[in-house]
Amino acid sequence: MTFTEQSRPATPTATAGRVVELGHPWHGVGPFLFAAHHVDAYPAGNEQMGPAAGVADRELGSDFGHPSGWNMYHGRTVPGFPAHPHRGFETITIVRRGVVDHADSTGASARYGDGDVQWVTAGRGVSHSEMFPLLDTDSDNPFELYQIWLNLPARDKTADPEFTMQWREDIPVVTRGEDGSRAVVRVIAGRFDDATALARRRTRGRRTRRRTSPSGSSTSNRAR
């Protein structure tokens, strides 16, 4: 699996294979269940890491497609998705801008963003939350996230739940072309050209924390 900053052509060629209507969320072809793409122009945050602009006009608990350009989703104070269950599949989360706070029922947690990638293997079942804290109190908090749901083979559906972090500075990058026609590929699974994705380091029942300041600097305290 690779993630590229260059878009595919809008019109598929005759050799591109079957054309699938994506819908919303984007429905995949097995083993890909679907993919979601969240883009939110969040305003400055408050002391609770929620929007300083207020949420009085929101349908809290189910705030999607708001005309302001940002959503609370299922969050009530902080935007995001409070604790919810998964079972039998994996989620791959790529955060291009902004920050995600993850916590799950195994006792593991992580704060990651701005290019980091997280894999969560639900296996026999896990409950986890994904919240989007608005850390910058002086300016806007732009946010962009891709998430892919990947079905697990039958033999792995009862595996122990766990998650793996790929920190942005460790992810292999392949650059093709020159300025004006340049593609940058970040390899998060498998192999592309001479780049091989990071080995998956299992994290179960241990804490992994990445703290990102509003200025963009970060420190890490990673589970080994």
Side-chain angles (χ1 to χ4, degrees):
M1 181 185 297
T2 60
F3 177 65
T4 177
E5 295 178 3
Q6 184 182 60
S7 299
R8 293 184 178 181
T11 304
T13 65
T15 59
R18 183 156 60 99
V19 176
V20 177
E21 292 294 331
L22 292 176
H24 184 76
W26 304 342
H27 291 282
V29 176
F32 300 98
L33 299 174
F34 72 77
H37 182 208
H38 296 293
V39 180
D40 293 277
Y42 287 120
N46 57 26
E47 292 182 356
Q48 290 76 43
M49 296 185 290
V55 294
D57 62 337
R58 307 273 165 164
E59 185 180 350
L60 293 180
S62 185
D63 181 40
F64 290 78
H66 197 277
S68 65
W70 57 273
N71 305 284
M72 291 294 291
Y73 299 107
H74 295 311
R76 294 181 176 274
T77 301
V78 176
F81 296 85
H84 56 280
H86 286 314
R87 184 178 183 184
F89 59 92
E90 292 185 306
T91 60
I92 302 99
T93 305
I94 304 160
V95 183
R96 296 195 67 187
R97 293 180 295 170
V99 175
V100 173
D101 277 348
H102 161 96
D104 65 42
S105 54
T106 73
S109 65
R111 171 169 288 179
Y112 64 101
D114 293 325
D116 298 327
V117 176
Q118 183 194 61
W119 290 63
V120 173
T121 300
R124 57 183 169 81
V126 68
S127 177
H128 80 145
S129 62
E130 303 156 291
M131 307 305 292
F132 313 149
L134 308 184
L135 302 182
D136 198 328
T137 58
D138 297 321
S139 60
D140 292 343
N141 289 270
F143 183 81
E144 184 178 11
L145 173 152
Y146 290 91
Q147 187 174 85
I148 301 167
W149 288 28
L150 180 64
N151 199 19
L152 287 170
R155 66 179 181 275
D156 294 329
K157 284 187 176 291
T158 56
D160 290 336
E162 59 195 9
F163 80 91
T164 304
M165 291 304 310
Q166 295 185 6
W167 306 108
R168 64 179 179 269
E169 63 270 21
D170 300 330
I171 296 173
V173 176
V174 177
T175 302
R176 290 276 192 87
E178 305 294 334
D179 290 342
S181 60
R182 190 169 66 112
V184 178
V185 178
R186 303 171 64 231
V187 184
I188 63 174
R191 184 179 178 86
F192 183 79
D193 273 3
D194 294 329
T196 301
L198 300 170
R200 295 182 60 185
R201 297 175 58 184
R202 311 296 185 176
T203 303
R204 182 170 62 245
R206 291 173 291 174
R207 300 185 69 83
T208 302
R209 192 75 175 175
R210 182 181 183 92
R211 296 180 177 86
T212 306
S213 73
S215 65
S217 62
S218 62
T219 59
S220 299
N221 179 15
R222 308 180 188 180
R224 298 293 179 181

